[in-house]
């Protein structure tokens, strides 16, 4: 069974036949919301809304440890994260979908490991490839099967938020090699690896990053909702294909 963590614009999956909602507690506190179990075309799936079902939990306050722990406990085979991002590269404007293959962490002050505190072993996970290659390939194949265009690879910059970036910060991220910027990629990816969970992401560009394209002087926030609504329709189709495959 795959798990899907839905971000902004994806707090539910319309075609999911819900079979059960489960409130879970973990040693790390409570996840963002109940886990929703269901089936798509006969195949099981568990869904979690990263920001809560009413979109009330901001990126820097998401309990990433509880979210991943709760999913691990359901014995999921992997986690697909859906996340909205800003596009830094010129070809990554609003509406573009991308499966990142690398990540840079600019977040701070988040609880980002299970290996801390009394009794925890000192452990250094390998993070050379932060996204599980096989799961990335499955997402790309699913997109191709349903005829949805999605870009293979890119560097995700995870910023702290909740504010958006300055134009100079985006220039710096670009110099660092980042293609897209979002606020939730870390520590989610690292925690999945610590739990030995396969993990990959579908990034949805909802705006040009600060100082880029139509965001030259300000990010047109009013547009984001419409872009999200349209793009998430395509993401849903990809996920349905992925789960049903
Ligand atoms: N920056 C950071 N996170 C985001 C953005 C952005 O421009 N758009 C959507 N999530």
């Amino acid at each position: 069974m795959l798990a899907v963590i839905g971000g902004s614009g994806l707090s539910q999956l319309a075609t999911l036949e819900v079979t059960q909602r489960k409130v879970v507690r973990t040693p790390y506190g409570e996840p963002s919301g109940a886990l929703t179990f269901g089936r798509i075309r006969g195949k099981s799936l568990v869904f979690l809304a990263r920001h809560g079902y009413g979109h009330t939990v901001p990126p820097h306050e998401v309990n990433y440890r509880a979210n991943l722990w709760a999913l691990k406990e359901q014995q999921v085979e992997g986690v697909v994260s859906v996340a909205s991002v800003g596009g830094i590269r010129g070809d990554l404007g609003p509406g573009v979908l991308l499966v990142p293959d690398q990540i840079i962490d600019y977040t701070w002050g988040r609880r980002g490991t299970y290996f801390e505190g009394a009794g925890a072993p000192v452990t250094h996970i390998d993070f050379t490839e932060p996204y599980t290659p096989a799961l990335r390939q499955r997402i790309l194949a699913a997109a191709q099967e349903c005829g949805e265009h999605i870009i293979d690879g890119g560097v995700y910059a995870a910023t702290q938020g909740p504010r958006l970036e300055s134009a100079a910060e985006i220039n710096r991220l670009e110099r660092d090699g980042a293609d897209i910027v979002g606020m939730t990629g870390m520590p989610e990816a690292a925690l999945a690896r610590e739990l030995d969970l396969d993990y990959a992401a579908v990034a949805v560009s909802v705006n040009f990053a600060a100082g880029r394209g139509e965001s030259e002087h300000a990010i047109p926030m009013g547009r984001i909702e419409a872009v999200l609504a349209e793009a998430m329709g395509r993401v849903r189709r990809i996920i349905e294909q992925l789960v049903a495959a």
Side-chain angles (χ1 to χ4, degrees):
M1 176 176 64
L2 274 176
V4 174
I5 303 181
S8 303
L10 192 75
S11 56
Q12 47 197 353
L13 283 168
T15 47
L16 186 69
E17 279 171 57
V18 176
T19 52
Q20 195 194 355
R21 284 209 170 77
K22 195 160 150 187
V23 175
V24 209
R25 290 200 171 74
T26 79
Y28 303 94
E30 289 187 25
S32 301
L35 304 182
T36 304
F37 291 81
R39 271 193 284 273
I40 290 176
R41 291 188 238 157
K43 297 283 176 70
S44 300
L45 175 85
V46 54
F47 180 83
L48 174 62
R50 183 185 287 113
H51 302 289
Y53 290 90
H55 205 282
T56 49
V57 189
H60 62 294
E61 288 180 345
V62 169
N63 189 340
Y64 296 95
R65 293 198 299 182
N67 285 355
L68 274 298
W69 190 271
L71 295 174
K72 173 78 178 180
E73 276 186 340
Q74 314 310 311
Q75 271 112 36
V76 299
E77 55 174 293
V79 177
V80 176
S81 153
V82 179
S84 66
V85 298
I88 299 176
R89 232 168 61 196
D91 61 331
L92 301 179
V96 172
L97 307 183
L98 182 147
V99 180
D101 62 348
Q102 280 296 334
I103 196 163
I104 304 177
D105 189 6
Y106 300 93
T107 69
W108 47 268
R110 301 183 181 189
R111 308 302 292 270
T113 181
Y114 296 105
F115 299 117
E116 65 182 11
V122 176
T123 306
H124 305 287
I125 51 154
D126 184 276
F127 207 47
T128 311
E129 297 215 67
Y131 300 99
T132 308
L135 188 53
R136 291 188 65 254
Q137 291 307 322
R138 282 175 63 188
I139 295 171
L140 293 166
Q144 197 171 19
E145 281 155 21
C146 59
E148 297 294 351
H149 183 63
I150 192 162
I151 293 175
D152 177 3
V155 179
Y156 178 114
T159 55
Q160 176 67 3
R163 67 165 178 84
L164 291 152
E165 299 73 33
S166 70
E169 285 171 331
I170 294 299
N171 290 340
R172 172 197 172 203
L173 299 187
E174 184 173 51
R175 286 194 301 273
D176 284 355
D179 301 303
I180 53 176
V181 55
M183 300 174 189
T184 57
M186 286 294 284
E188 201 172 82
L191 291 166
R193 181 63 52 81
E194 285 195 351
L195 293 177
D196 206 17
L197 279 168
D198 285 357
Y199 179 90
V202 176
V204 182
S205 173
V206 294
N207 58 275
F208 271 113
R212 302 298 157 104
E214 62 190 5
S215 303
E216 188 181 353
H217 299 294
I219 292 176
M221 301 300 288
R223 292 255 219 95
I224 288 182
E225 216 161 299
V227 175
L228 253 182
E230 187 279 327
M232 285 304 168
R234 286 181 279 136
V235 172
R236 275 193 202 105
R237 281 197 286 282
I238 295 170
I239 287 176
E240 286 162 14
Q241 182 69 31
L242 174 70
V243 172

